[in-house]
Amino acid sequence: GEATIGVIGLAVMGSNLARNLASREGNTVAVFNRTTAKTDALVEEHPEAGFVAAETIDDFVASLATPRTAIIMVQAGAGTDAVIEQLAERFEEGDIIVDGGNADFHDTIRREEELRERGLHFVGCGISGGEEGALNGPSLMPGGSKEAWEALAPALRSIAAVAQDEPCVTHVGSDGAGHFVKMVHNGIEYADMQLIAESYDLLRRIGGHDPASLADVYAEWNGGDLESYLIEITAEVLRQDDAETGGPLVDVILDRAGSKGTGVWTVQNALGLGVPATAIGEAVFARALSCSAEHRDAVRSTFSDRPDVPTAPDGFEDDVRAALYASKVVAYAQGFDLIRAGAEEHGWDIDLGAIARIWRGGCIIRARFLDRIAEAYDDDPSLVTLLAHPYFAEAVRDGEAAWRRVVALAVTAGVPAPAFGSALASYDALASERLPAALIQAQRDFFGAHTYRRTDRDGVFHTLWSGDRSEVAAD
Ligand code: NDP
């Protein structure tokens, strides 16, 4: 075969990725799709790509130069398993199968092990940036073996987004590391979007802004510390009028936020790993609440007396900006904590600074802010958490008073700001000298003899709650 790389699955993501590959020096791209009409359409619409089109899976495999590399871009789950099997039956030792879909990283760990035993390389590669990223430069998060990475690196580097002269791709870690990190990326994306949405709601309901003036506020914020793709598109969305009503588009969009499941996965894994990723959790729950139409109707009609909305104090916009930035620091710190915990649990050697760097371009959470995160981990690779780094500590301290004013005002006004509030609570809990967890331990010891440790000496203790209430050593 003459093709240097192949793409299987030519729906929107696969076609765009194939076109991206074909447009780069050194790649000749074989393409295949279960339904041949899609292959034909792609090849016909893009003669410039010089695709090697395959009608059958056998033709596809035969068209690939050895060692073969094929990227699968089909529906996650059963479709991916089916295509992996079709390739694995035809591939030979040393060939590489890449799954670029949104796989559950547990599936990736399983598939990598099964294919390794059959002498094949399997690389689960997180791809971020949607359709547009796939075509013009995504952020790529490949897992799998070092050997597979070395073979794949030139092709992946050729198609990745570029941020500050560096391609947005790195070898994340072995087996499922890439898909795990992609999952956390999506969780952080949920949190970031929820925080922006809360800032919008506060500025609108308390600050008295209309969408058009808010578009200007966000556009201005995009020139500072908050500079990011999500802030930029927020300004554009708020500026958009609806052709039918002539009013702001955002006002005619049904207020129920959908999701495709990766946010839920992130929270499930955070719970399993015992990582308090509360901002991501609040963001996922907030979307679920928005979709609970029945509950919203029932409660809204029960509680028609809502608090009076106070007039916004002077400097409210600046306060909200500061609160948003401080909350965002906490949300990202939690996300990176989760990656660290996942890496420990699964034995992945993940360079957190490198992860921040490959998210600076191509993906949805791309932001100036990620440079600061990369610098923090480069400064101190063993940094316990971002909040403890001087740059972020100062950023939070600078915004702290404003953050408290905004959360307090939101609570008084009855405007829900769950992610702002929980990010602040997370910071306050971490910064507290003592936590009421001591009382919880005592309660647990009372009803279940679960024992406790003391602050003043080593050992494990139990109080004879149903006896004379003396303390006994329990270890
Ligand atoms: P879809 O997820 O809609 O999947 C459609 C493709 O899968 C078609 O090519 C279809 O072939 C193929 N397919 C499904 N089942 C089988 C099967 N059993 N055997 C062979 N082929 C099968 O396509 P998208 O382009 O939207 O997404 C591709 C992957 O990328 C998914 O895993 C998705 O989660 C992920 N994705 C990632 C995004 C990102 O931003 N990173 C954004 C969107 C998606 P046929 O034409 O014959 O039906």
Side-chain angles (χ1 to χ4, degrees):
E2 51 172 323
T4 54
I5 195 159
V7 177
I8 292 204
L10 303 175
V12 55
M13 289 295 291
S15 331
N16 282 359
L17 201 74
R19 286 171 58 200
N20 186 350
L21 279 163
S23 71
R24 314 291 165 163
E25 193 72 35
N27 302 328
T28 304
V29 185
V31 288
F32 174 72
N33 192 69
R34 179 181 59 180
T35 309
T36 313
K38 260 184 212 160
T39 316
D40 296 344
L42 175 69
V43 172
E44 197 176 315
E45 281 162 33
H46 297 283
E48 79 288 353
F51 288 127
V52 180
E55 297 251 318
T56 65
I57 186 89
D58 288 315
D59 288 349
F60 176 74
V61 172
S63 71
L64 295 170
T66 53
R68 301 174 185 86
T69 300
I71 304 182
I72 302 176
M73 289 303 295
V74 306
Q75 218 159 43
T80 300
D81 273 318
V83 173
I84 289 173
E85 190 48 39
Q86 289 162 13
L87 285 178
E89 282 166 7
R90 293 164 175 85
F91 271 23
E92 294 166 311
E93 189 153 345
D95 290 351
I96 303 174
I97 299 175
V98 181
D99 174 18
N102 268 334
D104 180 332
F105 77 93
H106 296 100
D107 287 339
T108 305
I109 292 175
R110 167 180 60 78
R111 290 164 178 157
E112 197 275 339
E113 190 183 349
E114 286 167 8
L115 291 175
R116 185 162 18 95
E117 283 164 6
R118 295 163 74 173
L120 301 175
H121 291 292
F122 181 73
V123 175
C125 182
I127 302 186
S128 177
E131 300 173 30
E132 145 82 34
L135 182 61
N136 297 316
S139 172
L140 297 168
M141 293 153 257
S145 70
K146 276 213 173 71
E147 297 97 289
W149 162 245
E150 272 154 29
L152 272 176
L156 295 186
R157 284 201 183 102
S158 77
I159 59 167
V162 175
Q164 276 145 59
D165 296 329
E166 289 176 65
C168 293
V169 57
T170 191
H171 182 222
V172 174
S174 58
D175 56 62
H179 275 137
F180 181 87
V181 165
K182 171 67 195 329
M183 174 193 78
V184 177
H185 164 283
N186 286 25
I188 293 175
E189 175 185 312
Y190 274 63
D192 206 337
M193 291 169 73
Q194 175 65 23
L195 289 169
I196 294 171
E198 290 177 15
S199 73
Y200 151 81
D201 208 22
L202 291 164
L203 290 171
R204 201 160 174 194
R205 289 165 68 179
I206 301 176
H209 283 274
D210 59 20
S213 77
L214 278 179
D216 295 337
V217 171
Y218 286 99
E220 191 194 313
W221 289 0
N222 201 38
D225 286 337
L226 283 167
E227 181 188 316
S228 61
Y229 172 72
L230 283 170
I231 292 283
E232 181 191 326
I233 66 167
T234 300
E236 292 204 27
V237 167
L238 293 173
R239 216 183 296 284
Q240 182 74 29
D241 282 331
D242 172 43
E244 219 172 293
T245 58
L249 177 66
V250 71
D251 286 347
V252 296
I253 294 178
L254 193 65
D255 56 349
R256 296 181 200 164
S259 53
K260 291 205 288 188
T262 42
V264 172
W265 286 352
T266 312
V267 178
Q268 284 170 335
N269 281 285
L271 289 170
L273 290 165
V275 176
T278 53
I280 302 173
E282 289 296 347
V284 172
F285 282 132
R287 288 198 193 185
L289 189 151
S290 78
C291 293
S292 308
E294 226 187 327
H295 287 73
R296 290 177 62 187
D297 285 347
V299 175
R300 193 170 54 235
S301 57
T302 310
F303 299 92
S304 47
D305 286 348
R306 299 290 297 145
D308 291 332
V309 174
T311 357
D314 286 346
F316 186 59
E317 288 80 17
D318 278 343
D319 274 6
V320 173
R321 184 184 43 74
L324 176 56
Y325 193 64
S327 302
K328 181 168 161 153
V329 169
V330 170
Y332 279 65
Q334 292 175 346
F336 278 83
D337 289 348
L338 181 55
I339 296 178
R340 203 181 140 112
E344 265 167 41
E345 171 78 11
H346 297 283
W348 299 320
D349 181 18
I350 300 183
D351 174 348
L352 297 175
I355 301 305
R357 278 194 296 276
I358 65 168
W359 287 349
R360 292 178 308 179
C363 64
I364 306 299
I365 64 171
R366 61 185 181 263
R368 182 199 276 197
F369 182 67
L370 289 160
D371 271 329
R372 304 285 89 77
I373 296 181
E375 283 160 13
Y377 283 115
D378 288 350
D379 249 20
D380 178 5
S382 63
L383 186 65
V384 173
T385 185
L386 283 173
L387 271 182
H389 186 271
Y391 171 82
F392 292 104
E394 196 185 315
V396 166
R397 243 178 246 123
D398 281 352
E400 183 172 338
W403 198 10
R404 295 190 191 287
R405 282 192 296 270
V406 169
V407 171
L409 195 60
V411 171
T412 308
V415 177
F420 270 41
S422 100
L424 179 57
S426 164
Y427 158 67
D428 279 331
L430 289 170
S432 286
E433 187 68 37
R434 293 271 297 160
L435 291 174
L439 175 61
I440 291 173
Q441 277 303 90
Q443 292 166 333
R444 296 178 69 240
D445 189 58
F446 191 106
F447 65 67
H450 292 300
T451 74
Y452 51 85
R453 291 178 179 277
R454 296 182 57 100
T455 58
D456 52 0
R457 63 199 142 87
D458 284 343
V460 179
F461 303 92
H462 169 56
T463 289
L464 301 169
W465 295 103
S466 44
D468 65 359
R469 304 212 163 174
S470 61
E471 182 178 78
V472 295
D475 49 353

